[in-house]
Amino acid sequence: MNAFAQRRLRNLALTGMSAGILIAINQLYDMSLRDAAFMNGWVLFAGMVFLSLFNLRKKLNVLPLVPAGAWLQMHIYVGGLCSLLFLLHSEFVLPNGTFETILWLLFVVVVVSGFTGLLLSRILPPRMDARGERVIFERIPFLRAQVARQVQELAMRSVQETRASTIADFYVKELAPYLYRPRNFLGNLVGSHRAERRLHVAIQALERYLDERGRAILGEIDALITAKANLDYQYALQLVLKLWLFFHLPLNYSLMLFSVLHIVIVYAFSAGAP
Amino acid sequence: MSAPRLQNFDFRSSTYERPSQTWVCGRSSTGCPCERGPDQRGRCRTTTECQPRRSGDGWACNRPAAAGGACSQGPLEDGRCCRTVPPCMPVRSLRSRRGLTTVWATLLSLAALFVIFGGSMNAQLLHPGPMIKGHAEIQNCASCHVAFEGGPLHWLAASLRPSDPLADSSKCLACHNKTKDALNPHNLGKPKLDQLTEIAATQHADTSAPWTVDASRFAFPLARDAADGPLACAACHEDHHGEWANMMQVANARCQSCHTVTFEAFSSGHPGFGSYPYLRRTRISFDHDSHNRKHFPEEAKKGTRVPETCDTCHEPDSSGHLMVTTRFEQACASCHGKDITGDTVAGVKGVPVIALPELDVDTIAERGLWIGEWPEDAIAPKISPFTKLLLAADPTTADDLKVVDELDLLDLSDANDGQLAAVGRVVWGIKELLYDIATSGMGILQTRVEASLNHSLDTDTVGRLIGHIPQDVIVAAARVWFSRLSSDVVRFRSQKAAGVTPGVIHGDSGSDKLSDQQLLQLDDDQIDPGDELLQLDEAGQPSGDVKVRAKKAAAAEPEPEAEPAAAPEPEAAETAAEPAEPAEPAAEDTAGDEAPAEPAAAGEPPRPVARPATGDLAAAAATDLETIVDPEEWAEAGGWFRKDFTLYYRPVEHEDSFVRTWLDIGANAFGTPAEHYGEALFAMLNDKNTPGRCTKCHSVDRQPGGALMVNWQPFQPKSTEVPFTNFVHDAHFSALEDKGCVACHQLSPGAKYQDSYQGQDPTKFVSNFAPMQRELCAECHVQSSAGDNCTMCHQYHIGDFTQATMSTKMAALDQPATAGAAPAPAAPAADANAPPAADVPAAADAPATALPAAPGVAIAEAPWFERLPQMLASMLQWLAPGVSHELERPDLPQMAPDAAPPDPAPRADAGS
């Protein structure tokens, strides 16, 4: 068993034990004629505060705090515990008040987005590694422009060297729209390469109209098309890896604010529930 | 051909990425970003491709290799780059956009919170959800939540204040306080709870708590014993979980948090049922064992219809919860109906109500006591208890009755003067009673019974007391028993008014003794002068017609003998063949208030006027008719009849109102000064030789005050009463299979069941059935099968709950209806429903701050994390001591530490 598996097993065991303890405490607390929602609510809120501190920790990278990787691990497992606490707190029923429904939806969206991000971060990187070159997300526009420029140059050169406009015409008609912007976003997410294959088929069909030099240029273009398709693939997957945070983070702060008001309301109108 | 590698990470060919920066170059998407990038404010700061560096005396191109390296033209002479580039439009980085989104989302959330919390629709928006159907009409949060009044700032303050567990509960009780000790555990007071706890701890000391209960008590101990005081409603009941939510659902473990006796589950450790459900003797004494083994088979042989199945006598009530006893007519009448109508009685088949006791008239006469006319054939040995009760209305007569009870009325020779005078007064009392009833109507009965028992009666009760007796029955009895009752009584009363000592008044000494034969031979004209009772006017005075007829009779007949000594002896009267000696001059009879007869001469004791026997009057009447039915036989179907000198009542049917009412009257007399009358009534009505025999089956319980109570009805569930244990019979029918009722109710042969009814304490009894076994129930009632929740069989709130009602004032009927006007919601009346301060006992003057820590309040001490708001408030107070961080508490009803919760004023719109 490697270190990663050991770490995962250890963390899962700790999380499971914590969940068991939380459930037991919740039950014992409820048995004591108290309202367990107060107890598990405060624990849940504390967990949410801890989870929110992860973002702060990433911003304060100069401080000698626990490494961000360890924070991330704690963030994941505490997030799981908070989900359990949320179920206990909401007593496994859907809310039916306006405010509580908003609060419930916020929590659900934050949790679902978080687990979605976790899932994506486990699924997508291997897929990106399995296909072509891994590129830095911020460099993709630059590289895409670079590929487009190279294909354009090849098309121009083919006119000079082959004395024919076959490749140039093909470039203008088919390749230029494909090269100058990201393409096949959804297809890339689901692993479909149909658009890329269609271009390759078209390129192969063009070969019979070219001479030797023309076919050499067309081969280079074909390679660049493959590179562009890989860039699109990397772009789609990396963008998704970044986009889930657009839900997770902003809504988390909304959730914290709504939670504070929830606490105020609960304590104001607890009706004497112990 | 494989794709070429696109990225180079060497220093010269790789650009420097700044993903954490807020702005990125606008040309990144075109593949030619600048090296410097925008500034922090998002402005492009690149005007040329490079920033030439000084090289010796000149300038050298500084364009990086990644951008193509040094250009061939080189910098201008003044050191500027020769390759200018137009400025770009920097764009935000993805990270910056995410941050901006976060900021906007936070601001939007704050705005939403401000609207939700402080807006005019805050109540609707913060409403945590629909309430149950029963609370649907509550529109104002303040109806239930004390903190709601005052607005958002008050809510904020309330959230920072220590929770008052009973403030909101008082709002609940505005509608739900239908029983005493509403907030106490099981609605019981502490003494009762302590008593039950002691019993439970003693009887079930061998039970052990599950480890979860022990762990809960160890980890989260209750601050105080729950039995010490009230518990907030919200401890168990939570609303806002939807219209169909079950607010009464309680986990088993929560029940055990307070209970001394704890156990694992119903099937494991639950205490046995003890004597449940046989907690007292049955109200109807019915020995299932003897009936089943002996009586039913015997009666069946006679051809009597006997029950074959249990449901002949028992059927589910309307709710299906309980098995109640069917009607007498269905279950019992075939055998016991004759007991009621007296068919099985050996003697006269009637209850003697008014009877003329047999008197030693000779001794009375010898001792000079005037009692007027008295039938010599009166044979009742004693005065009827009914008569006694009616006579006891006069305190003097009541004392006399006690004296008379000690005497043998058939032989008064040993009686002293005082005792004899008492006899005389009682005799006159009987005659006055008859006279008063006949002349004054039934009201006299009511007056006398009320006076005897010292409590008032309504008209219905009076009607039942007299068995709706027809006037003719009384009048005929008076007429037959006494030929001149009216004149005697009028004369007696006039002399009594004149100051003559009652009981020793010397009346007339006329010979009134007529034999039965003589009396029977009297024709109407001869009887009429003394029979004015038949023609009394409304005022009880003889009518003019009577007077006229009396005068005629006086003129036609010889003068009565003035001397008592000349009065014919009874024996002589009996031998007289002709009705030539009328008992009294008619004039005197009808004008008793004018000139009473002269008493006997001094020294000569007056003779009592003996009324001849009239027992064969009916037979005499038969002379006119071919035959006449015997009065007793006439009353075969029940009702009044007269036999000899006794007026009988024969019970009509089961639930006979006459017998029942008199038994109730007698029962209520126990424990009062009139108890001996009650005893006499009970003894006579329950005698085995008297029809009725109600208490043969209807048990009699002794009430706390000493009075008795006849259980006229078998157990009847009270709709307003909630018992601790609730068993639903009809839900179990399908599980009984062939065994039926016997599956649970097994007879206990040989049990001394009937002995239980010798006393009057219903709790001292021996059941007809063997104790029920918990194991039988536990065969099905486990968690995985039929369920074993505590609340499946037990109720938490027990007791008698007052039925909710309306108290609409009649003035409201005059108010015109408003078209389309919605009914006033219940909620705004919240303040009005709060109990007034004056109603709150003891602690009304206590400071408000004492509320949360009121001793006796059974609340769990909040753990530290639940006190965070309070700690925050304290911290704010410490940081800014001059600023108040807590708003004024609203005026709440104060709860006395040891007192029951305040009883709020009744609401017009109160729901159950």
Side-chain angles (χ1 to χ4, degrees), chain A residues 4-245:
Chain A
F4 176 76
Q6 283 185 347
R7 188 186 70 189
R8 176 171 288 180
L9 192 63
R10 181 199 64 198
N11 292 346
L12 281 174
L14 285 174
T15 306
M17 283 174 54
S18 302
I21 292 171
L22 281 174
I23 292 173
I25 290 175
N26 191 69
Q27 285 297 105
L28 297 179
Y29 194 80
D30 185 69
M31 287 167 60
S32 68
L33 269 186
R34 296 174 172 91
D35 190 347
F38 284 84
M39 189 274 293
N40 56 42
W42 275 113
V43 177
L44 173 61
F45 187 72
M48 289 161 58
V49 170
F50 173 79
L51 294 173
S52 301
L53 289 176
F54 178 46
N55 195 38
L56 188 65
R57 164 66 185 84
K58 288 197 294 185
K59 291 181 185 298
L60 300 175
N61 50 12
V62 295
L63 296 177
L65 300 173
V66 180
W71 269 97
L72 176 61
Q73 290 299 309
M74 289 189 287
H75 187 83
I76 292 169
Y77 291 107
V78 172
L81 286 176
C82 283
S83 302
L84 172 70
L85 282 167
F86 177 73
L87 292 175
L88 292 174
H89 188 67
S90 60
E91 298 175 347
F92 298 89
V93 295
L94 294 174
N96 42 24
T98 306
F99 177 75
E100 291 196 344
T101 301
I102 295 173
L103 187 62
W104 189 89
L105 284 173
L106 282 174
F107 190 92
V108 168
V109 170
V110 169
V111 167
V112 169
S113 63
F115 281 105
T116 303
L118 175 65
L119 195 66
L120 293 174
S121 67
R122 294 290 181 270
I123 295 174
L124 299 185
R127 283 175 59 184
M128 288 190 289
D129 281 340
R131 175 171 174 176
E133 182 186 3
R134 285 282 297 269
V135 292
I136 298 172
F137 180 75
E138 284 74 16
R139 287 186 180 176
I140 289 177
F142 168 76
L143 295 175
R144 184 171 57 236
Q146 181 180 313
V147 168
R149 191 166 54 248
Q150 289 175 0
V151 173
Q152 184 185 23
E153 288 172 354
L154 286 172
M156 297 285 288
R157 203 175 74 193
S158 72
V159 174
Q160 294 174 353
E161 293 182 3
T162 64
R163 304 289 180 178
S165 62
T166 306
I167 294 177
D169 291 342
F170 181 71
Y171 168 79
V172 171
K173 184 179 179 185
E174 297 287 342
L175 299 181
Y178 175 75
L179 291 170
Y180 281 95
R181 53 176 296 193
R183 290 288 178 183
N184 196 25
F185 182 83
L186 292 176
N188 283 322
L189 287 182
V190 299
S192 168
H193 308 296
R194 191 162 59 180
E196 181 191 357
R197 276 201 299 272
R198 189 180 60 81
L199 276 178
H200 284 306
V201 169
I203 289 172
Q204 286 176 3
L206 200 64
E207 282 183 353
R208 56 185 164 177
Y209 304 107
L210 300 175
D211 56 9
E212 190 65 25
R213 184 56 194 159
R215 282 198 290 271
I217 292 174
L218 194 61
E220 289 181 42
I221 290 175
D222 188 57
L224 286 172
I225 292 299
T226 302
K228 167 63 171 54
N230 183 48
L231 280 178
D232 287 345
Y233 186 75
Q234 299 287 334
Y235 177 79
L237 268 56
Q238 289 196 44
L239 186 62
V240 168
L241 277 174
K242 295 178 184 299
L243 274 182
W244 69 269
L245 282 170

Side-chain angles (χ1 to χ4, degrees), chain A residues 25 28-35 38-39 42 55 58-59 91 96-100 102 133-139 141-147 149 216 219-220 222-224 226-227 231 239 242 245-246 249-251 253-254 257-258 261 263-265 267-274, chain B residues 1-9 14-15 17 19 28-31 33 94 97-98 101-102 105-106 109-110 113 117 125-130 145 147-148 155-156 159 163-165 168 212-213 216 220-222 232 234-235 238 240-242 253-254 257-258 860-861 863 865-866 868-869:
Chain A
I25 290 175
L28 297 179
Y29 194 80
D30 185 69
M31 287 167 60
S32 68
L33 269 186
R34 296 174 172 91
D35 190 347
F38 284 84
M39 189 274 293
W42 275 113
N55 195 38
K58 288 197 294 185
K59 291 181 185 298
E91 298 175 347
N96 42 24
T98 306
F99 177 75
E100 291 196 344
I102 295 173
E133 182 186 3
R134 285 282 297 269
V135 292
I136 298 172
F137 180 75
E138 284 74 16
R139 287 186 180 176
F142 168 76
L143 295 175
R144 184 171 57 236
Q146 181 180 313
V147 168
R149 191 166 54 248
E220 289 181 42
D222 188 57
L224 286 172
T226 302
L231 280 178
L239 186 62
K242 295 178 184 299
L245 282 170
F246 275 75
L249 276 178
L251 293 183
Y253 291 107
S254 300
L257 290 173
F258 273 72
L261 180 60
I263 293 171
V264 169
I265 296 300
Y267 270 88
F269 304 125
S270 63
Chain B
M1 186 178 287
S2 61
R5 185 172 182 80
L6 299 177
Q7 292 184 109
N8 294 314
F9 291 101
S14 177
T15 56
E17 303 299 338
S28 293
S29 59
T30 62
L94 196 64
R97 290 179 188 176
R98 194 178 70 202
T101 306
T102 302
T106 305
S109 299
L110 278 172
L113 288 179
F117 192 67
L125 293 172
L126 291 172
H127 199 268
H145 297 284
F148 186 80
W155 306 347
L156 195 59
S159 67
S163 170
D164 178 2
D168 284 350
T212 50
V213 174
S216 174
F220 306 107
L222 292 176
E238 285 184 12
H240 297 292
H241 290 308
R254 303 200 92 189
S257 63
C258 293
E861 188 173 357
F865 54 81
E866 289 192 10
L868 280 177

Side-chain angles (χ1 to χ4, degrees), chain B residues 569-769:
Chain B
E569 290 296 326
E571 294 78 8
E574 289 173 1
T575 56
E578 297 179 7
E581 297 178 24
E584 275 293 316
E588 287 184 6
D589 287 352
T590 56
D593 55 344
E594 295 172 1
E598 288 297 325
E604 294 182 11
R607 296 284 300 168
V609 181
R611 180 74 170 91
T614 56
D616 296 335
L617 191 63
T623 56
D624 292 337
L625 303 171
E626 286 298 323
T627 56
I628 186 167
V629 67
D630 182 76
E632 188 177 350
E633 293 177 19
W634 174 263
E636 185 179 13
W640 292 93
F641 67 94
R642 188 185 69 248
K643 190 164 188 178
D644 299 328
F645 292 91
T646 304
L647 204 55
Y648 290 95
Y649 178 83
R650 187 170 185 176
V652 177
E653 57 183 358
H654 185 243
E655 299 183 15
D656 184 270
S657 60
F658 175 83
V659 178
R660 178 172 171 170
T661 307
W662 276 105
L663 272 174
D664 283 337
I665 291 286
N668 284 326
F670 281 81
T672 70
E675 179 168 339
H676 55 284
Y677 302 120
E679 285 180 2
L681 272 172
F682 251 65
M684 189 191 69
L685 289 173
N686 297 325
D687 189 273
K688 64 180 181 181
N689 291 321
T690 305
R693 304 191 64 188
C694 306
T695 57
K696 179 184 178 184
C697 301
H698 294 276
S699 63
V700 180
D701 295 348
R702 175 76 67 175
Q703 302 292 91
L708 299 183
M709 184 189 72
V710 182
N711 290 300
W712 293 114
Q713 298 292 337
F715 171 68
Q716 297 286 335
K718 196 176 175 184
S719 62
T720 58
E721 188 168 332
V722 179
F724 177 62
T725 304
N726 182 29
F727 180 81
V728 183
H729 273 85
D730 66 356
H732 293 80
F733 290 160
S734 60
L736 298 180
E737 299 176 347
D738 295 337
K739 285 187 174 180
C741 306
V742 184
C744 303
H745 300 283
Q746 295 180 343
L747 280 172
S748 177
K752 303 290 186 185
Y753 174 78
Q754 282 297 353
D755 293 350
S756 307
Y757 294 89
Q758 300 300 320
Q760 291 160 340
D761 184 354
T763 62
K764 294 179 179 175
F765 74 108
V766 177
S767 175
N768 231 180
F769 293 91

Side-chain angles (χ1 to χ4, degrees), chain B residues 177-531:
Chain B
N177 186 20
K178 304 302 179 193
T179 183
K180 190 182 175 190
D181 299 324
L183 293 181
N184 277 13
H186 294 295
N187 298 56
L188 297 174
K190 189 174 185 307
K192 184 66 176 175
L193 280 173
D194 289 343
Q195 180 190 354
L196 293 174
T197 302
E198 187 177 345
I199 292 172
T202 307
Q203 294 184 349
H204 309 296
D206 53 340
T207 59
S208 61
W211 70 268
T212 50
V213 174
D214 288 338
S216 174
R217 288 177 174 175
F218 175 77
F220 306 107
L222 292 176
R224 297 178 182 87
D225 188 349
D228 278 353
L231 195 64
C233 303
C236 299
H237 304 295
E238 285 184 12
D239 205 342
H240 297 292
H241 290 308
E243 295 176 352
W244 305 106
N246 182 4
M247 284 184 68
M248 293 181 287
Q249 195 170 19
V250 179
N252 289 351
R254 303 200 92 189
C255 298
Q256 305 218 55
S257 63
C258 293
H259 279 230
T260 302
V261 177
T262 53
F263 45 87
E264 292 283 349
F266 175 70
S267 57
S268 171
H270 187 286
F273 293 157
S275 56
Y276 179 84
Y278 317 115
L279 301 178
R280 53 156 291 156
R281 67 186 182 192
T282 54
R283 289 161 177 79
I284 304 299
S285 169
F286 181 85
D287 191 337
H288 284 79
D289 186 37
S290 66
H291 277 78
N292 191 44
R293 285 191 296 105
K294 181 182 173 185
H295 303 309
F296 287 163
E298 289 177 357
E299 293 297 323
K301 289 177 184 173
K302 299 176 188 173
T304 309
R305 185 176 61 85
V306 297
E308 294 180 355
T309 56
C310 297
D311 61 359
T312 305
C313 305
H314 301 283
E315 61 186 5
D317 67 352
S318 58
S319 68
H321 286 203
L322 298 168
M323 295 295 289
V324 294
T325 309
T326 55
R327 289 178 53 77
F328 172 87
E329 290 74 15
Q330 179 180 340
C332 318
S334 60
C335 295
H336 293 284
K338 295 175 182 176
D339 289 342
I340 296 172
T341 56
D343 291 337
T344 58
V345 171
V348 180
K349 296 171 175 42
V351 180
V353 180
I354 297 178
L356 302 186
E358 186 173 6
L359 293 177
D360 183 3
V361 292
D362 292 336
T363 303
I364 292 174
E366 290 168 4
R367 304 280 286 272
L369 187 68
W370 181 63
I371 60 171
E373 182 187 22
W374 191 260
E376 64 178 8
D377 286 351
I379 57 171
K382 287 188 176 179
I383 303 170
S384 156
F386 297 93
T387 312
K388 281 184 181 178
L389 188 67
L390 295 171
L391 294 177
D394 180 2
T396 306
T397 312
D399 295 337
D400 292 339
L401 284 170
K402 293 175 184 174
V403 175
V404 170
D405 280 343
E406 305 295 328
L407 297 175
D408 180 6
L409 294 177
L410 295 177
D411 182 8
L412 296 171
S413 57
D414 295 334
N416 58 32
D417 289 344
Q419 290 172 327
L420 210 56
V423 171
R425 286 190 291 270
V426 169
V427 168
W428 278 113
I430 294 172
K431 296 174 74 169
E432 281 187 300
L433 174 64
L434 267 176
Y435 175 80
D436 287 343
I437 294 174
T439 58
S440 301
M442 293 304 130
I444 198 69
L445 280 177
Q446 179 174 1
T447 307
R448 285 179 175 244
V449 174
E450 286 179 346
S452 296
L453 301 178
N454 196 27
H455 65 76
S456 59
L457 302 172
D458 55 36
T459 307
D460 287 344
T461 306
V462 173
R464 293 193 298 271
L465 278 177
I466 63 174
H468 302 285
I469 184 171
Q471 182 186 22
D472 282 353
V473 174
I474 290 288
V475 173
R479 174 185 175 187
V480 173
W481 293 346
F482 301 99
S483 64
R484 50 180 199 187
L485 177 64
S486 178
S487 59
D488 272 2
V489 172
V490 170
R491 189 177 301 162
F492 168 75
R493 286 182 172 171
S494 64
Q495 293 189 6
K496 187 178 175 182
V500 180
T501 306
V504 293
I505 300 170
H506 292 176
D508 65 276
S509 56
S511 173
D512 289 279
K513 292 185 178 179
L514 296 175
S515 66
D516 287 348
Q517 190 63 30
Q518 290 172 315
L519 190 61
L520 291 174
Q521 291 173 353
L522 291 176
D523 57 25
D524 287 345
D525 288 338
Q526 289 168 317
I527 293 177
D528 274 345
D531 198 17

Side-chain angles (χ1 to χ4, degrees), chain B residues 814-875:
Chain B
D814 297 334
Q815 294 176 358
T818 304
D831 284 341
N833 296 329
D839 292 344
V840 182
D845 298 328
T849 51
L851 263 174
V857 176
I859 56 169
E861 188 173 357
W864 64 269
F865 54 81
E866 289 192 10
R867 297 198 298 272
L868 280 177
Q870 291 81 40
M871 294 164 68
L872 178 62
S874 302
M875 193 180 301

